[in-house]
Amino acid sequence: MASPRSAVSSIAAAKVVQAIATVAVTFLVARGVGSAGQGLIEDATIWPLLLVPLTSFSLSHGAVTTLRRGVDQSTVVSAVVTLAGITMALSVAAGVATVAISPPELGASTGLLAFGLLPAIWLTTIATSITWTSGNSTASSFVEAAQSTVRMVVLAGIFVAGVMTPRWVVVVLIGSWAVVAVLYLAWTLQQTSVILTRVNLWSTIRALVEVTLPTTINVFLLAGLLRLDVLLLLAFDVEKSEIGQYAVALKVGELLWFIPLARGQAFIVESAKRHSPGFAVQTSDVALTLVAGVFMVGALAIGSGILGDDYGDVATFFAFLLVGVVAYSALPTARNLLIVSDKAWLLAGIMLGGLFVNAVGNVLLIPAMGVPGAAIASSVSYTLVS
């Protein structure tokens, strides 16, 4: 078992690789399909991404907690396989119904393909639950880095070949998740001797739900907070080119959160050993994100032409988001602090309030201002939640 410090270092290294690959993917897709194509991709993938928390159900964290309560690993993993399978099936059913009622512009077949993300998440959840309950806390981070790297390599090949289309991008996004998830699970099963069992299965499932429900609600609300603006922009029939530019601005914000997210994970490890200065971590995260954010506004303004001539508004959209992006950088450590302090329901209340503000703000501002209205509403809600 790796020491806490070496585990944190490994996670940080994986996050660096993931960040580099994500930057490359963002650039390749932006250049390859243009802002309108980017908007079509958002249209096809918005619902699968929103439903991911209901598929994974925070079961990897719950598996570790349940194991610590004295349940054997095989029973815990069996419960994860069953519960994640149920939630995945319900999520896919909801997705199929959504596509049937309102197919994306790329077509119903592409919309259904996008929901292939959910079975891939199911496999990943099972594998991560096995590795974490086996004492391996770093494998999942390397898997995330591998998925981003595979995505980058395949998209680079398609880009160079000059055949990139929004539909191909969706295929690669889902395919990279699925292929790496299958390999991850196969490797995990080879490394361990976990055997599925029905002994104490339903009581363990009940224990898992008890442990994971507050965290799952938090993650689902967080996903809504971060993606509701795009969903409402699509609902209000804003131009796909505008949505595509806004999606790139959001991705830039998410890239700036790699540092606070990694440090938030490190805070969990450090707080388990001794009192950790959470406020100091948050302050430095905000400062780092502010500096990086101001730099990115300038870089996007100067270099938006690198993305393509139809990305001229990306810097403006990101500037509207900047205050919220900077404020949100304090949230990962605060969120983890509340979770380890058994205050997940308090966090859920905070997230629900932020989501409500986001929804009301978007409904009021998008018809009047378009994308800038969505950016302002999201920035305000990020700030309030943080």
Side-chain angles (χ1 to χ4, degrees):
M1 182 184 299
S3 68
R5 190 166 298 279
S6 64
V8 170
S9 299
S10 298
I11 291 172
K15 289 294 183 184
V16 169
V17 173
Q18 184 182 359
I20 293 171
T22 302
V23 170
V25 167
T26 300
F27 170 77
L28 289 168
V29 174
R31 286 290 295 182
V33 302
S35 60
Q38 184 85 58
L40 291 173
I41 294 168
E42 295 298 317
D43 182 32
T45 58
I46 183 67
W47 280 108
L49 291 172
L50 279 170
L51 290 171
V52 162
L54 297 183
T55 300
S56 61
F57 211 72
S58 299
L59 288 173
S60 300
H61 296 85
V64 174
T65 301
T66 306
L67 185 74
R68 289 173 178 169
R69 293 180 176 180
V71 182
D72 67 276
Q73 185 186 26
S74 292
T75 303
V76 171
V77 172
S78 299
V80 168
V81 171
T82 305
L83 184 54
I86 293 171
T87 56
M88 182 270 293
L90 292 174
S91 299
V92 170
V96 171
T98 301
V99 172
I101 295 171
S102 179
E105 287 189 31
L106 289 177
S109 60
T110 303
L112 292 174
L113 173 65
F115 279 97
L117 174 64
L118 302 182
I121 294 295
W122 175 54
L123 297 178
T124 303
T125 299
I126 295 170
T128 300
S129 297
I130 295 173
T131 56
W132 282 14
T133 54
S134 300
N136 184 344
S137 61
T138 60
S140 57
S141 295
F142 285 109
V143 167
E144 291 174 355
Q147 285 165 337
S148 298
T149 303
V150 169
R151 205 170 295 141
M152 175 188 68
V153 171
V154 176
L155 287 174
I158 295 175
F159 180 82
V160 171
V163 294
M164 184 178 289
T165 64
R167 185 172 284 106
W168 268 116
V169 172
V170 174
V171 170
V172 172
L173 292 177
I174 305 306
S176 61
W177 267 103
V179 170
V180 175
V182 170
L183 294 175
Y184 180 29
L185 182 58
W187 173 83
T188 301
L189 293 175
Q190 186 180 33
Q191 298 295 312
T192 61
S193 57
V194 173
I195 300 175
L196 297 184
T197 177
R198 297 170 62 181
V199 177
N200 299 323
L201 179 61
W202 294 109
S203 62
T204 306
I205 288 176
R206 287 195 298 271
L208 273 175
V209 172
E210 178 186 341
V211 170
T212 59
L213 185 59
T215 305
T216 299
I217 291 174
N218 277 309
V219 176
F220 182 67
L221 291 174
L222 179 61
L225 180 69
L226 298 180
R227 300 191 183 279
L228 182 63
D229 45 7
V230 175
L231 182 63
L232 289 174
L233 285 169
L234 290 167
F236 280 107
D237 289 325
V238 175
E239 290 289 334
K240 291 296 188 296
S241 59
E242 294 284 294
I243 295 175
Q245 293 186 75
Y246 184 59
V248 171
L250 288 173
K251 286 180 172 61
V252 172
E254 291 172 1
L255 286 171
L256 296 181
W257 292 333
F258 267 100
I259 293 175
L261 286 171
R263 283 161 63 89
Q265 288 183 342
F267 174 76
I268 291 293
V269 176
E270 292 296 317
S271 64
K273 298 187 299 180
R274 55 181 168 76
H275 176 69
S276 184
F279 180 74
V281 173
Q282 291 173 282
T283 303
S284 60
D285 284 345
V286 170
L288 286 169
T289 307
L290 175 60
V291 172
V294 172
F295 171 79
M296 285 306 303
V297 171
L300 288 170
I302 296 171
S304 58
I306 298 175
L307 296 175
D309 294 337
D310 52 349
Y311 284 94
D313 293 327
V314 171
T316 302
F317 295 160
F318 182 69
F320 280 116
L321 284 168
L322 183 58
V323 172
V325 167
V326 171
Y328 182 87
S329 63
L331 185 61
T333 295
R335 183 180 65 216
N336 290 337
L337 180 61
L338 287 173
I339 290 173
V340 300
S341 301
D342 293 326
K343 296 180 179 178
W345 286 112
L346 172 61
L347 179 60
I350 295 171
M351 299 301 296
L352 183 61
L355 184 62
F356 176 78
V357 171
N358 196 340
V360 172
N362 274 287
V363 169
L364 292 177
L365 294 179
I366 288 176
M369 302 176 63
V371 172
I376 292 171
S378 295
S379 187
V380 170
S381 63
Y382 294 171
T383 303
L384 290 176
V385 165
S386 302

